[in-house]
């Protein structure tokens, strides 16, 4: 049996199998690698493969197109790290939540304040605190 190279190709391009991404300059399609190759999905959720996917894969491999990673979004009941202000609202600190698709979860994701790890959130904290004009605590 011949080895499936798709996971290695995805990794070389900076994504994981199953991870959704965009191609810079293309807002209509979302892309993802599967074990079978590259899948393209239109904004209307219609998935296509075949020659269009093959052409997209070739453009990625030869450097004509570039991957634009999408912000990470937790799955339902998955933990994520973000920021919370103190009761007085003068200090920002890092804490974790469980994703439940609440309004707060979605709002935090929209502004880009949802992180996989505590370290990622801590490294973003000084910039966010400065933007909000508050102190922060690591």
């Amino acid at each position: 049996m011949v080895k499936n190279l798709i996971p290695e190709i995805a990794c070389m391009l900076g994504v994981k199998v199953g991870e959704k991404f965009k191609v810079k300059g293309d807002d209509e399609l979302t892309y993802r690698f599967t074990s079978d190759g590259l899948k393209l999905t239109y904004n209307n959720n219609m998935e296509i493969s075949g020659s269009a996917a093959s052409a997209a894969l070739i453009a990625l491999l030869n450097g004509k197109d570039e991957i634009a990673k999408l912000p990470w979004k937790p799955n339902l009941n998955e933990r994520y790290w973000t920021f919370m202000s103190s009761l007085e609202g003068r200090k920002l600190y890092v804490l974790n939540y469980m994703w439940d698709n609440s309004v707060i979860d979605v709002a935090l994701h929209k502004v880009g304040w949802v992180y996989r790890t505590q370290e990622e959130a801590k490294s973003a904290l000084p910039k966010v605190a400065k933007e909000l004009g508050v102190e922060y605590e690591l």
Side-chain angles (χ1 to χ4, degrees):
M1 179 174 199
V2 178
K3 181 179 176 183
N4 184 344
L5 298 175
I6 295 296
E8 292 177 42
I9 291 169
C11 182
M12 285 190 285
L13 292 170
V15 294
K16 297 176 183 170
V17 172
E19 178 183 350
K20 293 179 181 179
F21 61 91
K22 294 277 193 182
V23 166
K24 288 187 179 177
D26 181 1
D27 292 332
E28 241 182 82
L29 294 171
T30 302
Y31 301 73
R32 70 182 171 88
F33 282 100
T34 68
S35 59
D36 296 330
L38 186 65
K39 303 289 183 193
L40 288 61
T41 306
Y42 283 102
N43 286 340
N44 63 4
N45 291 326
M46 185 176 88
E47 190 170 89
I48 59 172
S49 53
S51 61
S54 296
L57 179 59
I58 289 168
L60 288 169
L61 293 175
N62 68 20
K64 266 187 161 174
D65 285 340
E66 186 179 348
I67 287 177
K69 292 189 71 130
L70 298 174
W72 174 72
K73 182 178 177 185
N75 295 315
L76 195 60
N77 298 321
E78 186 174 2
R79 290 218 172 267
Y80 69 93
W81 293 85
T82 190
F83 315 112
M84 180 58 71
S85 61
S86 61
L87 291 176
E88 317 82 44
R90 291 188 213 125
K91 191 178 280 189
L92 210 57
Y93 57 94
V94 170
L95 78 159
N96 69 66
Y97 282 113
M98 186 80 71
W99 185 271
D100 63 2
N101 283 327
S102 69
V103 171
I104 292 171
D105 290 342
V106 173
L108 288 168
H109 187 263
K110 276 192 169 209
V111 295
W113 295 351
V114 171
Y115 304 92
R116 285 183 198 262
T117 66
Q118 184 178 22
E119 292 74 29
E120 288 176 0
K122 281 183 175 182
S123 69
L125 181 58
K127 181 180 176 193
V128 172
K130 182 178 180 182
E131 182 182 319
L132 296 175
V134 298
E135 296 177 13
Y136 63 91
E137 184 176 309
L138 289 174

